[in-house]
Amino acid sequence: MTTKKWLRMTTVAVLATACMSAGVAAAEAKYRVALLVKNLGNGFFDAAHQGGDEAAKELGDIQLIYTGPTAPTAEGQIEIINSLIAQKVDAIVISANDPDALVPACKKAAQRGITVLSFDSGIAKAGRTFQINPSNPELIGLKQLQMVSKTIGGKGEIAILSATAQATNQNKWIQVMKDELKKPEFAGLKLVDVVYGDDQSDKSYREAVGLFRKHPDLKAIIAPTTVGITAAAKAVTDQKLIGKVFVTGLGLPSEMAGYVRSGAVEPRSIWNPIDLGYTAVYAAHSLLAKKATGKPDTKVPVGRMGSLKIDSNGDAAMSEPFVFDKANVEKFAKFF
Ligand code: RAM
């Protein structure tokens, strides 16, 4: 998809949700769909929520329940899943804090007739019908390395500041990075540490400062989390390390704009979280309305995003991550 088309679609999304309510009232709703995120108070999931609201409004027969624990833990999500089962919701669309720990609770939900999908951060196959990835995980991992390699001239010490140690999505991307690092193309890069800020700003900030202290020759931090990259950029700025330690990874343009301008964050990329939330909620509706089975090797209609193709593994990927820079950050920062 071209950036222009993508931006146009995003604009539609923002305008549509700014003036309309989220889906229909509980009494009128045919389906109650819960969007269960890793944690509340994360700008990435706020944007996904906005997209979910848009889908609910467009479909007209969904009541969307946006929920998540305050801290990104599997225990917090299990508690919420049990309460959603008791409320007899029709579908749970979840970004998981752990691939395996949530399986029993999600299986229980499925046994009670609840449709379970995972998006963003997946659950192991046994716990969901299928998983929606924002992009191909291999591509996301590789892109992080290509960005960092370009920035530091292909040579030097790098570290990863991730989300939680159990996060399915970040762990997959980190594994891809480790595999790619063995290739001659990245022979000059030395991964000296992987630390976890738990998608909490203060912990991520402390971990970033810890990396500067522990590795005085550190050239770059890759933070494949919107919370981590913002904290690392702040730490680099506060410690007067701009130009010495580069920060790259996955960031929201709205949270990154100032750091892009100051040069604290060099290349950075993301996908459109509004489109991701919209797609996830729309896909759940397609299953509930029997417009799709969700089985491997089939397609699921997802409204303005077209259709999702589920592969033989039960995974469906959306588009390529998009790189933003000084020239376009302000434009995208208006949307998410
Ligand atoms: C954080 C979360 C989310 C991830 C983004 C990039 O907001 O960890 O799961 O997809 O970063």
Side-chain angles (χ1 to χ4, degrees):
M1 190 191 308
T2 63
T3 304
K4 219 167 157 191
K5 188 172 167 210
W6 179 88
L7 179 64
R8 206 168 48 233
M9 293 194 326
T10 310
T11 311
V12 172
V14 173
L15 293 178
T17 49
C19 50
M20 293 171 190
S21 67
V24 294
E28 300 161 34
K30 190 163 172 195
Y31 305 117
R32 287 188 305 145
V33 175
L35 188 62
L36 169 51
V37 298
K38 281 180 170 176
N39 63 321
L40 297 177
N42 176 335
F44 177 87
F45 293 118
D46 291 344
H49 179 199
Q50 192 180 324
D53 275 354
E54 185 205 346
K57 176 69 202 160
E58 186 184 320
L59 288 159
D61 57 1
I62 289 185
Q63 188 209 4
L64 188 72
I65 303 161
Y66 179 67
T67 179
T70 41
T73 64
E75 295 72 33
Q77 287 190 316
I78 290 168
E79 228 173 88
I80 294 174
I81 292 168
N82 284 329
S83 134
L84 292 170
I85 294 173
Q87 290 171 52
K88 297 190 167 58
V89 298
D90 297 288
I92 299 175
V93 183
I94 180 170
S95 170
N97 284 318
D98 189 300
D100 303 313
L102 296 163
V103 169
C106 288
K107 269 188 164 172
K108 183 168 142 198
Q111 279 155 8
R112 309 275 165 95
I114 298 173
T115 296
V116 182
L117 295 185
S118 53
F119 81 107
D120 179 56
S121 188
I123 310 183
K125 266 184 176 178
R128 42 75 176 174
T129 307
F130 66 94
Q131 150 69 11
I132 304 170
N133 290 315
S135 176
N136 178 313
E138 283 71 32
L139 205 63
I140 298 174
L142 176 63
K143 193 136 207 162
Q144 311 303 297
L145 277 188
Q146 287 169 336
M147 290 195 298
V148 89
S149 180
K150 195 168 166 212
T151 308
I152 64 174
K155 217 169 158 263
E157 292 187 0
I158 61 169
I160 296 174
L161 168 59
S162 191
T164 62
Q166 293 78 27
T168 322
N169 50 350
Q170 273 91 8
N171 282 349
K172 207 175 258 176
W173 304 330
I174 292 171
Q175 192 51 54
V176 173
M177 289 188 233
K178 286 182 174 167
D179 293 343
E180 289 287 338
L181 278 169
K182 292 180 192 141
K183 298 192 178 157
E185 186 190 346
F186 300 116
L189 300 181
K190 189 171 171 221
L191 179 65
V192 292
D193 227 330
V194 180
V195 295
Y196 301 90
D198 293 347
D199 267 353
Q200 305 288 311
S201 303
D202 50 350
K203 176 150 196 285
S204 303
Y205 185 93
R206 286 198 302 276
E207 293 291 346
V209 173
L211 286 173
F212 308 146
R213 300 219 169 111
K214 199 165 153 206
H215 307 285
D217 293 328
L218 191 69
K219 285 254 188 84
I221 294 179
I222 302 176
T225 137
T226 58
V227 179
I229 195 173
T230 311
K234 184 170 174 3
V236 160
T237 307
D238 292 352
Q239 305 280 319
K240 310 218 174 336
L241 290 171
I242 296 180
K244 187 172 180 290
V245 180
F246 294 92
V247 177
T248 185
L250 301 171
L252 294 172
S254 56
E255 293 175 353
M256 289 287 96
Y259 297 119
V260 170
R261 259 182 262 122
S262 74
V265 177
E266 247 319 300
R268 73 304 309 157
S269 65
I270 194 66
W271 42 85
N272 183 331
I274 299 174
D275 288 349
L276 181 61
Y278 172 92
T279 302
V281 171
Y282 209 109
H285 183 272
S286 290
L287 261 57
L288 292 171
K290 308 250 177 299
K291 294 198 169 124
T293 61
K295 292 204 170 119
D297 297 314
T298 62
K299 284 189 176 175
V300 184
V302 284
R304 67 169 170 81
M305 296 304 292
S307 68
L308 276 179
K309 199 179 167 320
I310 307 173
D311 68 16
S312 51
N313 232 356
D315 279 82
M318 292 176 67
S319 53
E320 271 194 44
F322 135 79
V323 179
F324 56 94
D325 54 21
K326 279 190 179 124
N328 61 9
V329 67
E330 309 291 346
K331 195 163 74 180
F332 291 113
K334 292 190 190 114
F335 303 113
F336 53 85

